[in-house]
């Protein structure tokens, strides 16, 4: 069982954001996003030289004052210099849900610029650790060909097993969980609406199993709502999924000011001095 390193230190201080003390916490997969999932990922993308575009949609009359204009939806789109990969922040844009949680980031890649559609997409809800999403994007950015598979699924399981996660007894080649059985990683049928350019996704019959892709989620307690969820399309290269999995399962502590209510009692923490 995990316990606070310093139980006398409040895990969720009541002081205002910005004045809250920071903690080094672990495990990373239960540490949440610190309320900074957009900022953490956007800073990474800016460092990689990606261009950001903000799309606002709303309604207003020509004589409306700026403060009276109604913004219905907004999206922030980040595009790589070669335009082969992009990341869309869609939390404010009426996103669809994954594991009853709204999608925050959708990341996609295509083989060439002649196609307007992504070859594969990956989806991340709030409270996915920003470090893991950023490491996934760094690996994606480093790829010359972001849609070509370079490794098999075993690489993903090796990544988490190297950090102490346990392979599933019934599916040792397709699933793993952390030692507390809270966070899970599984290769299986992807949920509905997960975009993928593999034509087999379009011709599968209703009674046939769909294409297999990697899914990850954290369930703080049996039957409790998920803390976060992630879904990778079936064509997402396994080595990129492995980069995410290795970062998610890393034993290195992360800096946090805001801890998730559902998991804060499971977190080891020490004040950051």
């Amino acid at each position: 069982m995990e316990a606070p390193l310093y139980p006398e230190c409040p895990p969720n201080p009541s002081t205002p954001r910005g004045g809250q003390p920071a903690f080094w916490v672990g495990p990373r997969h239960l540490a949440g996003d610190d309320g900074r999932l957009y900022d953490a990922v956007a800073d990474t993308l800016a460092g990689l030289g990606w261009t950001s575009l903000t799309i606002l949609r709303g309604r207003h009359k020509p004589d409306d004052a700026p403060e009276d204009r109604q913004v219905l939806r907004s999206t922030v789109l980040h595009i790589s210099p070669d335009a082969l990969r992009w990341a869309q922040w869609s939390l404010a844009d009426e996103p669809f849900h994954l594991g009853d949680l709204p999608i925050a980031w959708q990341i996609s890649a295509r083989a060439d610029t002649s196609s307007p559609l992504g070859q594969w997409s990956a989806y991340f809800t709030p409270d996915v650790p920003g470090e893991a999403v950023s490491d996934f994007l760094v690996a994606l950015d480093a790829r010359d060909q972001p849609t070509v598979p370079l490794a098999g699924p075993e690489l993903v399981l090796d990544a988490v097993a190297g950090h102490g996660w346990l392979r599933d007894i019934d599916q040792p080649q397709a699933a793993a969980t952390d030692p507390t059985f809270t966070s899970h990683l599984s290769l299986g049928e992807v949920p509905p609406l997960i975009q993928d350019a593999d034509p087999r996704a379009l011709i599968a019959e209703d009674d046939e199993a769909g294409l297999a892709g990697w899914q990850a989620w954290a369930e703080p307690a049996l039957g409790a709502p998920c803390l976060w969820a992630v879904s990778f399309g079936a064509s997402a290269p396994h080595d990129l999924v492995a980069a995410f999995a290795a970062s998610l399962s890393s034993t290195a502590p992360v800096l946090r000011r805001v801890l998730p209510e559902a998991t804060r009692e499971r977190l080891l923490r020490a004040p950051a001095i």
Side-chain angles (χ1 to χ4, degrees):
M1 297 293 291
E2 294 175 308
L5 288 176
Y6 294 87
E8 69 277 6
C9 296
N12 192 13
S14 59
T15 51
R17 173 75 179 182
Q20 290 178 317
F23 296 92
W24 289 107
V25 305
R28 179 179 300 189
H29 59 91
L30 298 181
D33 62 12
D34 205 31
R36 299 187 64 256
L37 186 56
Y38 175 77
D39 293 334
V41 174
D43 288 348
T44 296
L45 294 174
L48 295 173
W50 290 34
T51 300
S52 64
L53 303 171
T54 301
I55 304 169
L56 299 177
R57 281 164 282 188
R59 62 168 67 97
H60 67 88
K61 298 179 181 178
D63 56 349
D64 278 348
E67 61 271 16
D68 294 331
R69 296 178 181 180
Q70 182 180 7
V71 175
L72 297 182
R73 298 191 295 173
S74 64
T75 299
V76 183
L77 183 66
H78 300 257
I79 305 172
S80 65
D82 62 6
L84 293 181
R85 52 214 104 192
W86 59 94
Q88 178 178 323
W89 174 259
S90 57
L91 194 59
D93 198 24
E94 299 180 10
F96 68 87
H97 285 62
L98 181 65
D100 292 327
L101 297 171
I103 298 297
W105 280 105
Q106 177 180 341
I107 299 169
S108 306
R110 57 185 174 178
D112 58 72
T113 56
S114 63
S115 172
L117 302 177
Q119 190 77 16
W120 57 263
S121 293
Y123 303 82
F124 305 84
T125 72
D127 273 324
V128 176
E131 295 86 356
V133 183
S134 293
D135 287 343
F136 172 77
L137 282 162
V138 169
L140 172 61
D141 183 79
R143 277 289 216 101
D144 290 332
Q145 297 176 304
T147 63
V148 177
L150 298 180
E154 188 70 16
L155 188 64
V156 180
L157 296 171
D158 286 346
V160 296
H163 292 151
W165 285 36
L166 309 173
R167 291 176 183 259
D168 187 275
I169 295 177
D170 298 321
Q171 305 178 76
Q173 305 304 316
T177 184
D178 80 285
T180 66
F181 301 97
T182 303
S183 295
H184 309 268
L185 184 68
S186 177
L187 179 62
E189 185 175 355
V190 298
L193 303 179
I194 300 302
Q195 296 180 14
D196 196 273
D198 191 317
R200 291 175 296 172
L202 302 177
I203 61 175
E205 300 293 337
D206 291 340
D207 58 348
E208 293 179 343
L211 294 174
W214 287 100
Q215 318 300 315
W217 67 97
E219 188 179 19
L222 186 63
C226 288
L227 173 64
W228 54 261
V230 176
S231 183
F232 296 92
S235 297
H238 296 297
D239 60 296
L240 296 181
V241 181
F244 167 81
S247 182
L248 177 72
S249 60
S250 172
T251 57
V254 290
L255 196 62
R256 294 289 187 269
R257 295 181 183 275
V258 179
L259 304 181
E261 182 71 25
T263 59
R264 63 179 183 175
E265 296 304 325
R266 291 174 174 261
L267 293 170
L268 294 163
R269 55 189 181 271
I273 300 175

